[in-house]
mmCIF file with all atom_site columns, all heavy atoms in Angstrom:
data_model
loop_
_atom_site.group_PDB
_atom_site.id
_atom_site.type_symbol
_atom_site.label_atom_id
_atom_site.label_alt_id
_atom_site.label_comp_id
_atom_site.label_asym_id
_atom_site.label_entity_id
_atom_site.label_seq_id
_atom_site.pdbx_PDB_ins_code
_atom_site.Cartn_x
_atom_site.Cartn_y
_atom_site.Cartn_z
_atom_site.occupancy
_atom_site.B_iso_or_equiv
_atom_site.pdbx_formal_charge
_atom_site.auth_seq_id
_atom_site.auth_comp_id
_atom_site.auth_asym_id
_atom_site.auth_atom_id
_atom_site.pdbx_PDB_model_num
ATOM 1   N N   . ALA B 1 2  ? 102.215 39.113 38.579 1.00 87.00 ? 2  ALA B N   1
ATOM 2   C CA  . ALA B 1 2  ? 101.381 38.489 39.616 1.00 87.00 ? 2  ALA B CA  1
ATOM 3   C C   . ALA B 1 2  ? 100.204 39.404 39.950 1.00 87.00 ? 2  ALA B C   1
ATOM 4   O O   . ALA B 1 2  ? 100.323 40.635 39.861 1.00 87.00 ? 2  ALA B O   1
ATOM 5   C CB  . ALA B 1 2  ? 102.214 38.220 40.860 1.00 87.00 ? 2  ALA B CB  1
ATOM 6   N N   . TRP B 1 3  ? 99.095  38.799 40.325 1.00 91.00 ? 3  TRP B N   1
ATOM 7   C CA  . TRP B 1 3  ? 97.869  39.565 40.552 1.00 91.00 ? 3  TRP B CA  1
ATOM 8   C C   . TRP B 1 3  ? 98.021  40.640 41.619 1.00 91.00 ? 3  TRP B C   1
ATOM 9   O O   . TRP B 1 3  ? 97.365  41.670 41.590 1.00 91.00 ? 3  TRP B O   1
ATOM 10  C CB  . TRP B 1 3  ? 96.719  38.623 40.904 1.00 91.00 ? 3  TRP B CB  1
ATOM 11  C CG  . TRP B 1 3  ? 96.979  37.796 42.141 1.00 91.00 ? 3  TRP B CG  1
ATOM 12  C CD1 . TRP B 1 3  ? 97.555  36.560 42.182 1.00 91.00 ? 3  TRP B CD1 1
ATOM 13  C CD2 . TRP B 1 3  ? 96.701  38.157 43.490 1.00 91.00 ? 3  TRP B CD2 1
ATOM 14  N NE1 . TRP B 1 3  ? 97.649  36.130 43.458 1.00 91.00 ? 3  TRP B NE1 1
ATOM 15  C CE2 . TRP B 1 3  ? 97.140  37.082 44.295 1.00 91.00 ? 3  TRP B CE2 1
ATOM 16  C CE3 . TRP B 1 3  ? 96.128  39.273 44.096 1.00 91.00 ? 3  TRP B CE3 1
ATOM 17  C CZ2 . TRP B 1 3  ? 97.025  37.104 45.681 1.00 91.00 ? 3  TRP B CZ2 1
ATOM 18  C CZ3 . TRP B 1 3  ? 96.004  39.293 45.473 1.00 91.00 ? 3  TRP B CZ3 1
ATOM 19  C CH2 . TRP B 1 3  ? 96.449  38.218 46.251 1.00 91.00 ? 3  TRP B CH2 1
ATOM 20  N N   . PHE B 1 4  ? 98.929  40.401 42.599 1.00 92.00 ? 4  PHE B N   1
ATOM 21  C CA  . PHE B 1 4  ? 99.017  41.385 43.691 1.00 92.00 ? 4  PHE B CA  1
ATOM 22  C C   . PHE B 1 4  ? 99.958  42.543 43.391 1.00 92.00 ? 4  PHE B C   1
ATOM 23  O O   . PHE B 1 4  ? 100.035 43.498 44.155 1.00 92.00 ? 4  PHE B O   1
ATOM 24  C CB  . PHE B 1 4  ? 99.405  40.698 45.003 1.00 92.00 ? 4  PHE B CB  1
ATOM 25  C CG  . PHE B 1 4  ? 100.681 39.889 44.925 1.00 92.00 ? 4  PHE B CG  1
ATOM 26  C CD1 . PHE B 1 4  ? 101.899 40.483 45.235 1.00 92.00 ? 4  PHE B CD1 1
ATOM 27  C CD2 . PHE B 1 4  ? 100.645 38.557 44.538 1.00 92.00 ? 4  PHE B CD2 1
ATOM 28  C CE1 . PHE B 1 4  ? 103.069 39.739 45.159 1.00 92.00 ? 4  PHE B CE1 1
ATOM 29  C CE2 . PHE B 1 4  ? 101.812 37.820 44.454 1.00 92.00 ? 4  PHE B CE2 1
ATOM 30  C CZ  . PHE B 1 4  ? 103.031 38.406 44.756 1.00 92.00 ? 4  PHE B CZ  1
ATOM 31  N N   . GLU B 1 5  ? 100.676 42.457 42.236 1.00 91.00 ? 5  GLU B N   1
ATOM 32  C CA  . GLU B 1 5  ? 101.626 43.529 41.908 1.00 91.00 ? 5  GLU B CA  1
ATOM 33  C C   . GLU B 1 5  ? 100.946 44.897 41.860 1.00 91.00 ? 5  GLU B C   1
ATOM 34  O O   . GLU B 1 5  ? 101.516 45.890 42.291 1.00 91.00 ? 5  GLU B O   1
ATOM 35  C CB  . GLU B 1 5  ? 102.292 43.260 40.555 1.00 91.00 ? 5  GLU B CB  1
ATOM 36  C CG  . GLU B 1 5  ? 103.263 42.088 40.548 1.00 91.00 ? 5  GLU B CG  1
ATOM 37  C CD  . GLU B 1 5  ? 104.495 42.291 41.427 1.00 91.00 ? 5  GLU B CD  1
ATOM 38  O OE1 . GLU B 1 5  ? 104.788 43.460 41.770 1.00 91.00 ? 5  GLU B OE1 1
ATOM 39  O OE2 . GLU B 1 5  ? 105.145 41.292 41.791 1.00 91.00 ? 5  GLU B OE2 1
ATOM 40  N N   . SER B 1 6  ? 99.730  44.933 41.311 1.00 91.00 ? 6  SER B N   1
ATOM 41  C CA  . SER B 1 6  ? 99.083  46.244 41.197 1.00 91.00 ? 6  SER B CA  1
ATOM 42  C C   . SER B 1 6  ? 98.369  46.640 42.498 1.00 91.00 ? 6  SER B C   1
ATOM 43  O O   . SER B 1 6  ? 97.693  47.652 42.553 1.00 91.00 ? 6  SER B O   1
ATOM 44  C CB  . SER B 1 6  ? 98.108  46.254 40.020 1.00 91.00 ? 6  SER B CB  1
ATOM 45  O OG  . SER B 1 6  ? 97.079  45.327 40.256 1.00 91.00 ? 6  SER B OG  1
ATOM 46  N N   . PHE B 1 7  ? 98.548  45.822 43.536 1.00 94.00 ? 7  PHE B N   1
ATOM 47  C CA  . PHE B 1 7  ? 97.967  46.178 44.844 1.00 94.00 ? 7  PHE B CA  1
ATOM 48  C C   . PHE B 1 7  ? 99.063  46.340 45.895 1.00 94.00 ? 7  PHE B C   1
ATOM 49  O O   . PHE B 1 7  ? 98.870  46.067 47.064 1.00 94.00 ? 7  PHE B O   1
ATOM 50  C CB  . PHE B 1 7  ? 96.948  45.127 45.284 1.00 94.00 ? 7  PHE B CB  1
ATOM 51  C CG  . PHE B 1 7  ? 95.715  45.113 44.430 1.00 94.00 ? 7  PHE B CG  1
ATOM 52  C CD1 . PHE B 1 7  ? 95.591  44.230 43.370 1.00 94.00 ? 7  PHE B CD1 1
ATOM 53  C CD2 . PHE B 1 7  ? 94.688  46.021 44.661 1.00 94.00 ? 7  PHE B CD2 1
ATOM 54  C CE1 . PHE B 1 7  ? 94.473  44.225 42.564 1.00 94.00 ? 7  PHE B CE1 1
ATOM 55  C CE2 . PHE B 1 7  ? 93.558  46.024 43.861 1.00 94.00 ? 7  PHE B CE2 1
ATOM 56  C CZ  . PHE B 1 7  ? 93.447  45.122 42.811 1.00 94.00 ? 7  PHE B CZ  1
ATOM 57  N N   . ARG B 1 8  ? 100.235 46.767 45.441 1.00 93.00 ? 8  ARG B N   1
ATOM 58  C CA  . ARG B 1 8  ? 101.345 46.968 46.375 1.00 93.00 ? 8  ARG B CA  1
ATOM 59  C C   . ARG B 1 8  ? 101.246 48.290 47.122 1.00 93.00 ? 8  ARG B C   1
ATOM 60  O O   . ARG B 1 8  ? 102.071 48.586 47.972 1.00 93.00 ? 8  ARG B O   1
ATOM 61  C CB  . ARG B 1 8  ? 102.671 46.909 45.617 1.00 93.00 ? 8  ARG B CB  1
ATOM 62  C CG  . ARG B 1 8  ? 103.054 45.518 45.151 1.00 93.00 ? 8  ARG B CG  1
ATOM 63  C CD  . ARG B 1 8  ? 104.497 45.238 45.509 1.00 93.00 ? 8  ARG B CD  1
ATOM 64  N NE  . ARG B 1 8  ? 104.998 44.006 44.938 1.00 93.00 ? 8  ARG B NE  1
ATOM 65  C CZ  . ARG B 1 8  ? 105.166 42.888 45.662 1.00 93.00 ? 8  ARG B CZ  1
ATOM 66  N NH1 . ARG B 1 8  ? 104.872 42.891 46.941 1.00 93.00 ? 8  ARG B NH1 1
ATOM 67  N NH2 . ARG B 1 8  ? 105.641 41.806 45.099 1.00 93.00 ? 8  ARG B NH2 1
ATOM 68  N N   . VAL B 1 9  ? 100.247 49.099 46.767 1.00 94.00 ? 9  VAL B N   1
ATOM 69  C CA  . VAL B 1 9  ? 100.073 50.387 47.452 1.00 94.00 ? 9  VAL B CA  1
ATOM 70  C C   . VAL B 1 9  ? 99.073  50.249 48.607 1.00 94.00 ? 9  VAL B C   1
ATOM 71  O O   . VAL B 1 9  ? 98.198  49.383 48.581 1.00 94.00 ? 9  VAL B O   1
ATOM 72  C CB  . VAL B 1 9  ? 99.543  51.475 46.498 1.00 94.00 ? 9  VAL B CB  1
ATOM 73  C CG1 . VAL B 1 9  ? 100.638 51.880 45.524 1.00 94.00 ? 9  VAL B CG1 1
ATOM 74  C CG2 . VAL B 1 9  ? 98.313  50.982 45.775 1.00 94.00 ? 9  VAL B CG2 1
ATOM 75  N N   . THR B 1 10 ? 99.221  51.093 49.600 1.00 96.00 ? 10 THR B N   1
ATOM 76  C CA  . THR B 1 10 ? 98.237  51.167 50.668 1.00 96.00 ? 10 THR B CA  1
ATOM 77  C C   . THR B 1 10 ? 96.971  51.777 50.073 1.00 96.00 ? 10 THR B C   1
ATOM 78  O O   . THR B 1 10 ? 97.063  52.748 49.323 1.00 96.00 ? 10 THR B O   1
ATOM 79  C CB  . THR B 1 10 ? 98.760  52.070 51.799 1.00 96.00 ? 10 THR B CB  1
ATOM 80  O OG1 . THR B 1 10 ? 100.107 51.695 52.086 1.00 96.00 ? 10 THR B OG1 1
ATOM 81  C CG2 . THR B 1 10 ? 97.910  51.967 53.041 1.00 96.00 ? 10 THR B CG2 1
ATOM 82  N N   . PRO B 1 11 ? 95.790  51.229 50.368 1.00 96.00 ? 11 PRO B N   1
ATOM 83  C CA  . PRO B 1 11 ? 94.571  51.842 49.813 1.00 96.00 ? 11 PRO B CA  1
ATOM 84  C C   . PRO B 1 11 ? 94.511  53.336 50.159 1.00 96.00 ? 11 PRO B C   1
ATOM 85  O O   . PRO B 1 11 ? 94.664  53.699 51.322 1.00 96.00 ? 11 PRO B O   1
ATOM 86  C CB  . PRO B 1 11 ? 93.443  51.080 50.519 1.00 96.00 ? 11 PRO B CB  1
ATOM 87  C CG  . PRO B 1 11 ? 94.051  49.786 50.938 1.00 96.00 ? 11 PRO B CG  1
ATOM 88  C CD  . PRO B 1 11 ? 95.495  50.072 51.207 1.00 96.00 ? 11 PRO B CD  1
ATOM 89  N N   . PRO B 1 12 ? 94.325  54.182 49.145 1.00 94.00 ? 12 PRO B N   1
ATOM 90  C CA  . PRO B 1 12 ? 94.352  55.629 49.391 1.00 94.00 ? 12 PRO B CA  1
ATOM 91  C C   . PRO B 1 12 ? 93.381  56.095 50.490 1.00 94.00 ? 12 PRO B C   1
ATOM 92  O O   . PRO B 1 12 ? 93.725  56.973 51.277 1.00 94.00 ? 12 PRO B O   1
ATOM 93  C CB  . PRO B 1 12 ? 93.973  56.221 48.044 1.00 94.00 ? 12 PRO B CB  1
ATOM 94  C CG  . PRO B 1 12 ? 94.411  55.193 47.050 1.00 94.00 ? 12 PRO B CG  1
ATOM 95  C CD  . PRO B 1 12 ? 94.201  53.882 47.722 1.00 94.00 ? 12 PRO B CD  1
ATOM 96  N N   . TRP B 1 13 ? 92.195  55.491 50.526 1.00 95.00 ? 13 TRP B N   1
ATOM 97  C CA  . TRP B 1 13 ? 91.225  55.928 51.551 1.00 95.00 ? 13 TRP B CA  1
ATOM 98  C C   . TRP B 1 13 ? 91.752  55.624 52.943 1.00 95.00 ? 13 TRP B C   1
ATOM 99  O O   . TRP B 1 13 ? 91.440  56.315 53.911 1.00 95.00 ? 13 TRP B O   1
ATOM 100 C CB  . TRP B 1 13 ? 89.855  55.284 51.338 1.00 95.00 ? 13 TRP B CB  1
ATOM 101 C CG  . TRP B 1 13 ? 89.842  53.790 51.421 1.00 95.00 ? 13 TRP B CG  1
ATOM 102 C CD1 . TRP B 1 13 ? 89.977  52.926 50.375 1.00 95.00 ? 13 TRP B CD1 1
ATOM 103 C CD2 . TRP B 1 13 ? 89.727  52.984 52.593 1.00 95.00 ? 13 TRP B CD2 1
ATOM 104 N NE1 . TRP B 1 13 ? 89.948  51.627 50.833 1.00 95.00 ? 13 TRP B NE1 1
ATOM 105 C CE2 . TRP B 1 13 ? 89.798  51.631 52.179 1.00 95.00 ? 13 TRP B CE2 1
ATOM 106 C CE3 . TRP B 1 13 ? 89.562  53.265 53.946 1.00 95.00 ? 13 TRP B CE3 1
ATOM 107 C CZ2 . TRP B 1 13 ? 89.719  50.561 53.082 1.00 95.00 ? 13 TRP B CZ2 1
ATOM 108 C CZ3 . TRP B 1 13 ? 89.478  52.201 54.839 1.00 95.00 ? 13 TRP B CZ3 1
ATOM 109 C CH2 . TRP B 1 13 ? 89.564  50.878 54.412 1.00 95.00 ? 13 TRP B CH2 1
ATOM 110 N N   . TRP B 1 14 ? 92.525  54.546 53.079 1.00 96.00 ? 14 TRP B N   1
ATOM 111 C CA  . TRP B 1 14 ? 93.101  54.208 54.379 1.00 96.00 ? 14 TRP B CA  1
ATOM 112 C C   . TRP B 1 14 ? 94.236  55.181 54.707 1.00 96.00 ? 14 TRP B C   1
ATOM 113 O O   . TRP B 1 14 ? 94.344  55.690 55.826 1.00 96.00 ? 14 TRP B O   1
ATOM 114 C CB  . TRP B 1 14 ? 93.616  52.768 54.387 1.00 96.00 ? 14 TRP B CB  1
ATOM 115 C CG  . TRP B 1 14 ? 94.343  52.428 55.648 1.00 96.00 ? 14 TRP B CG  1
ATOM 116 C CD1 . TRP B 1 14 ? 95.691  52.496 55.861 1.00 96.00 ? 14 TRP B CD1 1
ATOM 117 C CD2 . TRP B 1 14 ? 93.761  52.041 56.904 1.00 96.00 ? 14 TRP B CD2 1
ATOM 118 N NE1 . TRP B 1 14 ? 95.982  52.167 57.164 1.00 96.00 ? 14 TRP B NE1 1
ATOM 119 C CE2 . TRP B 1 14 ? 94.820  51.877 57.814 1.00 96.00 ? 14 TRP B CE2 1
ATOM 120 C CE3 . TRP B 1 14 ? 92.445  51.813 57.328 1.00 96.00 ? 14 TRP B CE3 1
ATOM 121 C CZ2 . TRP B 1 14 ? 94.606  51.495 59.140 1.00 96.00 ? 14 TRP B CZ2 1
ATOM 122 C CZ3 . TRP B 1 14 ? 92.235  51.437 58.651 1.00 96.00 ? 14 TRP B CZ3 1
ATOM 123 C CH2 . TRP B 1 14 ? 93.303  51.281 59.536 1.00 96.00 ? 14 TRP B CH2 1
ATOM 124 N N   . GLN B 1 15 ? 95.101  55.432 53.708 1.00 95.00 ? 15 GLN B N   1
ATOM 125 C CA  . GLN B 1 15 ? 96.255  56.292 53.920 1.00 95.00 ? 15 GLN B CA  1
ATOM 126 C C   . GLN B 1 15 ? 95.804  57.703 54.292 1.00 95.00 ? 15 GLN B C   1
ATOM 127 O O   . GLN B 1 15 ? 96.442  58.367 55.101 1.00 95.00 ? 15 GLN B O   1
ATOM 128 C CB  . GLN B 1 15 ? 97.112  56.280 52.646 1.00 95.00 ? 15 GLN B CB  1
ATOM 129 C CG  . GLN B 1 15 ? 98.514  56.828 52.809 1.00 95.00 ? 15 GLN B CG  1
ATOM 130 C CD  . GLN B 1 15 ? 99.256  56.231 54.004 1.00 95.00 ? 15 GLN B CD  1
ATOM 131 O OE1 . GLN B 1 15 ? 99.111  55.068 54.343 1.00 95.00 ? 15 GLN B OE1 1
ATOM 132 N NE2 . GLN B 1 15 ? 100.021 57.052 54.693 1.00 95.00 ? 15 GLN B NE2 1
ATOM 133 N N   . ALA B 1 16 ? 94.709  58.175 53.698 1.00 94.00 ? 16 ALA B N   1
ATOM 134 C CA  . ALA B 1 16 ? 94.254  59.550 53.926 1.00 94.00 ? 16 ALA B CA  1
ATOM 135 C C   . ALA B 1 16 ? 93.182  59.617 55.008 1.00 94.00 ? 16 ALA B C   1
ATOM 136 O O   . ALA B 1 16 ? 92.438  60.583 55.105 1.00 94.00 ? 16 ALA B O   1
ATOM 137 C CB  . ALA B 1 16 ? 93.713  60.110 52.613 1.00 94.00 ? 16 ALA B CB  1
ATOM 138 N N   . GLN B 1 17 ? 93.086  58.603 55.825 1.00 96.00 ? 17 GLN B N   1
ATOM 139 C CA  . GLN B 1 17 ? 91.991  58.536 56.799 1.00 96.00 ? 17 GLN B CA  1
ATOM 140 C C   . GLN B 1 17 ? 91.946  59.738 57.750 1.00 96.00 ? 17 GLN B C   1
ATOM 141 O O   . GLN B 1 17 ? 92.964  60.368 58.025 1.00 96.00 ? 17 GLN B O   1
ATOM 142 C CB  . GLN B 1 17 ? 92.088  57.247 57.615 1.00 96.00 ? 17 GLN B CB  1
ATOM 143 C CG  . GLN B 1 17 ? 93.333  57.143 58.477 1.00 96.00 ? 17 GLN B CG  1
ATOM 144 C CD  . GLN B 1 17 ? 93.384  55.801 59.212 1.00 96.00 ? 17 GLN B CD  1
ATOM 145 O OE1 . GLN B 1 17 ? 92.862  55.658 60.295 1.00 96.00 ? 17 GLN B OE1 1
ATOM 146 N NE2 . GLN B 1 17 ? 94.009  54.828 58.588 1.00 96.00 ? 17 GLN B NE2 1
ATOM 147 N N   . GLY B 1 18 ? 90.744  60.050 58.224 1.00 96.00 ? 18 GLY B N   1
ATOM 148 C CA  . GLY B 1 18 ? 90.569  61.163 59.157 1.00 96.00 ? 18 GLY B CA  1
ATOM 149 C C   . GLY B 1 18 ? 91.058  60.780 60.549 1.00 96.00 ? 18 GLY B C   1
ATOM 150 O O   . GLY B 1 18 ? 91.363  59.623 60.805 1.00 96.00 ? 18 GLY B O   1
ATOM 151 N N   . LYS B 1 19 ? 91.141  61.775 61.430 1.00 97.00 ? 19 LYS B N   1
ATOM 152 C CA  . LYS B 1 19 ? 91.723  61.516 62.749 1.00 97.00 ? 19 LYS B CA  1
ATOM 153 C C   . LYS B 1 19 ? 90.810  60.679 63.650 1.00 97.00 ? 19 LYS B C   1
ATOM 154 O O   . LYS B 1 19 ? 91.247  59.677 64.206 1.00 97.00 ? 19 LYS B O   1
ATOM 155 C CB  . LYS B 1 19 ? 92.078  62.842 63.424 1.00 97.00 ? 19 LYS B CB  1
ATOM 156 C CG  . LYS B 1 19 ? 93.250  63.532 62.740 1.00 97.00 ? 19 LYS B CG  1
ATOM 157 C CD  . LYS B 1 19 ? 93.989  64.449 63.690 1.00 97.00 ? 19 LYS B CD  1
ATOM 158 C CE  . LYS B 1 19 ? 95.156  65.169 63.020 1.00 97.00 ? 19 LYS B CE  1
ATOM 159 N NZ  . LYS B 1 19 ? 96.060  64.304 62.253 1.00 97.00 ? 19 LYS B NZ  1
ATOM 160 N N   . ILE B 1 20 ? 89.579  61.086 63.804 1.00 98.00 ? 20 ILE B N   1
ATOM 161 C CA  . ILE B 1 20 ? 88.656  60.302 64.638 1.00 98.00 ? 20 ILE B CA  1
ATOM 162 C C   . ILE B 1 20 ? 87.718  59.489 63.755 1.00 98.00 ? 20 ILE B C   1
ATOM 163 O O   . ILE B 1 20 ? 87.604  58.275 63.908 1.00 98.00 ? 20 ILE B O   1
ATOM 164 C CB  . ILE B 1 20 ? 87.866  61.210 65.617 1.00 98.00 ? 20 ILE B CB  1
ATOM 165 C CG1 . ILE B 1 20 ? 88.842  61.897 66.583 1.00 98.00 ? 20 ILE B CG1 1
ATOM 166 C CG2 . ILE B 1 20 ? 86.832  60.392 66.385 1.00 98.00 ? 20 ILE B CG2 1
ATOM 167 C CD1 . ILE B 1 20 ? 88.232  62.915 67.514 1.00 98.00 ? 20 ILE B CD1 1
ATOM 168 N N   . VAL B 1 21 ? 87.060  60.169 62.825 1.00 98.00 ? 21 VAL B N   1
ATOM 169 C CA  . VAL B 1 21 ? 86.279  59.418 61.840 1.00 98.00 ? 21 VAL B CA  1
ATOM 170 C C   . VAL B 1 21 ? 87.240  59.039 60.712 1.00 98.00 ? 21 VAL B C   1
ATOM 171 O O   . VAL B 1 21 ? 87.606  59.871 59.885 1.00 98.00 ? 21 VAL B O   1
ATOM 172 C CB  . VAL B 1 21 ? 85.099  60.241 61.294 1.00 98.00 ? 21 VAL B CB  1
ATOM 173 C CG1 . VAL B 1 21 ? 84.319  59.420 60.262 1.00 98.00 ? 21 VAL B CG1 1
ATOM 174 C CG2 . VAL B 1 21 ? 84.182  60.674 62.421 1.00 98.00 ? 21 VAL B CG2 1
ATOM 175 N N   . ALA B 1 22 ? 87.687  57.808 60.725 1.00 97.00 ? 22 ALA B N   1
ATOM 176 C CA  . ALA B 1 22 ? 88.731  57.393 59.783 1.00 97.00 ? 22 ALA B CA  1
ATOM 177 C C   . ALA B 1 22 ? 88.207  57.344 58.351 1.00 97.00 ? 22 ALA B C   1
ATOM 178 O O   . ALA B 1 22 ? 88.820  57.886 57.446 1.00 97.00 ? 22 ALA B O   1
ATOM 179 C CB  . ALA B 1 22 ? 89.297  56.038 60.193 1.00 97.00 ? 22 ALA B CB  1
ATOM 180 N N   . SER B 1 23 ? 87.052  56.689 58.158 1.00 97.00 ? 23 SER B N   1
ATOM 181 C CA  . SER B 1 23 ? 86.507  56.591 56.807 1.00 97.00 ? 23 SER B CA  1
ATOM 182 C C   . SER B 1 23 ? 85.012  56.310 56.852 1.00 97.00 ? 23 SER B C   1
ATOM 183 O O   . SER B 1 23 ? 84.476  55.907 57.888 1.00 97.00 ? 23 SER B O   1
ATOM 184 C CB  . SER B 1 23 ? 87.220  55.485 56.020 1.00 97.00 ? 23 SER B CB  1
ATOM 185 O OG  . SER B 1 23 ? 86.964  54.245 56.634 1.00 97.00 ? 23 SER B OG  1
ATOM 186 N N   . SER B 1 24 ? 84.359  56.532 55.719 1.00 97.00 ? 24 SER B N   1
ATOM 187 C CA  . SER B 1 24 ? 82.912  56.319 55.608 1.00 97.00 ? 24 SER B CA  1
ATOM 188 C C   . SER B 1 24 ? 82.636  55.431 54.412 1.00 97.00 ? 24 SER B C   1
ATOM 189 O O   . SER B 1 24 ? 83.359  55.482 53.425 1.00 97.00 ? 24 SER B O   1
ATOM 190 C CB  . SER B 1 24 ? 82.190  57.650 55.403 1.00 97.00 ? 24 SER B CB  1
ATOM 191 O OG  . SER B 1 24 ? 82.647  58.599 56.341 1.00 97.00 ? 24 SER B OG  1
ATOM 192 N N   . ARG B 1 25 ? 81.593  54.646 54.533 1.00 97.00 ? 25 ARG B N   1
ATOM 193 C CA  . ARG B 1 25 ? 81.318  53.671 53.477 1.00 97.00 ? 25 ARG B CA  1
ATOM 194 C C   . ARG B 1 25 ? 79.822  53.463 53.288 1.00 97.00 ? 25 ARG B C   1
ATOM 195 O O   . ARG B 1 25 ? 79.040  53.489 54.235 1.00 97.00 ? 25 ARG B O   1
ATOM 196 C CB  . ARG B 1 25 ? 81.980  52.358 53.861 1.00 97.00 ? 25 ARG B CB  1
ATOM 197 C CG  . ARG B 1 25 ? 81.532  51.153 53.086 1.00 97.00 ? 25 ARG B CG  1
ATOM 198 C CD  . ARG B 1 25 ? 82.404  49.973 53.380 1.00 97.00 ? 25 ARG B CD  1
ATOM 199 N NE  . ARG B 1 25 ? 83.792  50.291 53.037 1.00 97.00 ? 25 ARG B NE  1
ATOM 200 C CZ  . ARG B 1 25 ? 84.829  49.503 53.294 1.00 97.00 ? 25 ARG B CZ  1
ATOM 201 N NH1 . ARG B 1 25 ? 84.652  48.380 53.933 1.00 97.00 ? 25 ARG B NH1 1
ATOM 202 N NH2 . ARG B 1 25 ? 86.027  49.855 52.922 1.00 97.00 ? 25 ARG B NH2 1
#
Side-chain angles (χ1 to χ4, degrees):
Chain B
W3 59 269
F4 55 91
E5 290 295 341
S6 63
F7 292 96
R8 288 228 188 256
V9 288
T10 313
W13 61 267
W14 174 266
Q15 195 49 35
Q17 64 182 272
K19 290 206 181 311
I20 297 174
V21 180
S23 64
S24 312
R25 165 170 301 174

